[in-house]
Amino acid sequence: MSSISDQLSKAQSLVSSNPKEAETLYKAILDATNSNPKDADQSQIVRDQEVALVKLGELYRDQQNAEGIAQVITQSRAFMSSTAKAKTAKLIRTLLDFFSPIPNSHAIQIKTLTDNIEWAKKEKRIFLKHSLEVRLVGLHLATQSYKSALALIDTLLTELKRLDDKMILTEVHLLESRVYRGIGNMAKAKAALTSSRTAANSIYCPPTLQAALDLQSGILHAEDKDYTTAYSYFYEAFENMSAQGEEGALGALKYMLLCKVMLNLSEDVNSLLTIKLAAKYAQLRDVESMRAIARAHQGRNLAEFERALREYKTGT
């Protein structure tokens, strides 16, 4: 099956110069079948097809073609049905991640997720189904479809408690906390966060998930005007997210700076931005906006504060 490997190499070399031909080659690789399933090269064919699948998704991502990504996920089900369940879950999650940089793709993401949840249910791939449902809750939260998010959370929690899957329980309760905060029910937001932390305490909690818990804790303490405790949580989240190279680190840093302002410590903003982890964000527009707010607050200058709000209204 060297021809498939050759096609794959050729497709990868054409991505920049001739993306259309690269797309055609990737699709041909995915459509290829081995005439002798017991052939020793069969495992290599499968590996090549997995690479082609991801590369085609990357091609559509770079072209900002959300429909293309959705089609890749749907069309690849037959191929993925013959692969190990854990590998299938990873492949689908990888392909779904390609939607992230594409603007205005929420609607097609929701449709794709809904379709694949139904497929996972029919295939009895329970772990994959739950993983996709958690992602769907996140999308409902992002689009402020709180009612849909809560309905799905209720179903998920019932199933997860029966299975005693603490890792996904932690994620779902955290999402539940964020949804309740979104609709202004702070009591339920705090209760859900407590449930999330309780589940997290009984497992190894990955750094990214721990950072998300700390960030939500900081937000809820800030809502209660306890800015000192909030700052501590934001700092933990920022440190963790920076170490993991997560985009959310900037958001945590902005919360930290805002806490300094709310604690009447505006003069600490500049010194805070000189610490090693924060220095790389210091020149960003988002951070400049916080500096402007801190200056206005320090000088008790309402006109300067309103000017900062106008100037940094977008892009922050």
Side-chain angles (χ1 to χ4, degrees):
M1 274 279 99
S2 59
S3 59
I4 286 185
S5 295
D6 292 342
Q7 278 183 300
L8 184 59
S9 297
K10 185 179 178 183
Q12 288 173 279
S13 68
L14 288 168
V15 167
S16 299
S17 59
N18 193 341
K20 196 70 184 171
E21 189 176 346
E23 178 187 356
T24 302
L25 283 170
Y26 285 138
K27 285 181 175 178
I29 292 166
L30 291 173
D31 289 339
T33 55
N34 192 2
S35 56
N36 182 3
K38 294 180 181 178
D39 195 306
D41 286 338
Q42 178 64 19
S43 59
Q44 183 59 49
I45 296 169
V46 172
R47 283 196 295 271
D48 286 341
Q49 288 181 319
E50 286 170 11
V51 173
L53 188 67
V54 174
K55 291 296 180 184
L56 183 57
E58 286 177 353
L59 181 67
Y60 287 141
R61 176 200 63 196
D62 295 342
Q63 294 174 341
Q64 300 209 328
N65 182 351
E67 285 283 355
I69 296 172
Q71 286 169 15
V72 169
I73 296 170
T74 303
Q75 291 169 358
S76 61
R77 285 179 191 161
F79 161 65
M80 290 192 286
S81 291
S82 63
T83 62
K85 290 185 179 182
K87 189 172 282 189
T88 299
K90 186 179 177 183
L91 275 169
I92 289 184
R93 285 198 301 271
T94 299
L95 290 167
L96 287 167
D97 284 341
F98 293 152
F99 281 118
S100 299
I102 303 176
N104 305 315
S105 63
H106 281 135
I108 192 162
Q109 284 189 64
I110 289 171
K111 184 180 184 305
T112 304
L113 277 168
T114 304
D115 289 347
N116 281 281
I117 287 165
E118 286 303 312
W119 174 76
K121 191 187 294 184
K122 286 175 188 171
E123 293 277 317
K124 293 186 169 53
R125 300 192 176 208
I126 304 303
F127 176 79
L128 176 60
K129 172 182 168 289
H130 290 156
S131 177
L132 295 176
E133 285 175 334
V134 170
R135 191 182 284 256
L136 183 55
V137 171
L139 271 174
H140 285 318
L141 176 62
T143 55
Q144 298 183 352
S145 303
Y146 299 128
K147 189 175 179 181
S148 298
L150 285 174
L152 187 50
I153 284 169
D154 286 343
T155 305
L156 260 171
L157 288 176
T158 302
E159 293 180 20
L160 292 170
K161 284 172 183 172
R162 190 171 64 247
L163 294 169
D164 199 33
D165 190 329
K166 292 288 198 301
M167 180 67 77
I168 301 187
L169 262 176
T170 302
E171 293 181 50
V172 175
H173 278 306
L174 176 57
L175 284 166
E176 182 185 25
S177 177
R178 292 173 62 196
V179 171
Y180 277 124
R181 188 236 171 187
I183 60 178
N185 191 330
M186 302 310 293
K188 286 193 173 182
K190 290 174 189 174
L193 182 61
T194 300
S195 297
S196 185
R197 284 198 173 277
T198 301
N201 287 338
S202 61
I203 55 167
Y204 164 72
C205 189
T208 51
L209 184 53
Q210 184 60 55
L213 286 167
D214 288 336
L215 186 67
Q216 182 67 0
S217 296
I219 289 169
L220 295 186
H221 278 286
E223 292 277 10
D224 281 344
K225 297 182 170 53
D226 180 1
Y227 301 113
T228 302
T229 307
Y231 179 86
S232 299
Y233 277 116
F234 289 139
Y235 187 86
E236 289 293 325
F238 173 64
E239 205 171 38
N240 216 331
M241 288 176 172
S242 295
Q244 302 299 316
E246 286 189 60
E247 291 180 12
L250 176 59
L253 176 60
K254 288 170 68 179
Y255 275 125
M256 286 165 60
L257 298 175
L258 188 58
C259 283
K260 287 293 186 183
V261 173
M262 298 306 292
L263 287 165
N264 288 317
L265 296 171
S266 299
E267 64 276 9
D268 288 358
V269 166
N270 284 327
S271 58
L272 179 58
L273 290 169
T274 62
I275 65 172
K276 188 176 179 182
L277 284 176
K280 66 178 180 181
Y281 301 99
Q283 304 307 315
L284 295 178
R285 178 177 166 83
D286 289 55
V287 174
E288 284 294 336
S289 69
M290 302 308 295
R291 271 207 191 96
I293 296 295
R295 280 195 303 269
H297 180 268
Q298 195 171 359
R300 301 294 189 271
N301 190 324
L302 182 59
E304 192 175 342
F305 174 74
E306 290 177 339
R307 184 164 61 250
L309 289 183
R310 286 195 303 274
E311 186 176 342
Y312 295 101
K313 187 175 183 180
T314 57
T316 59

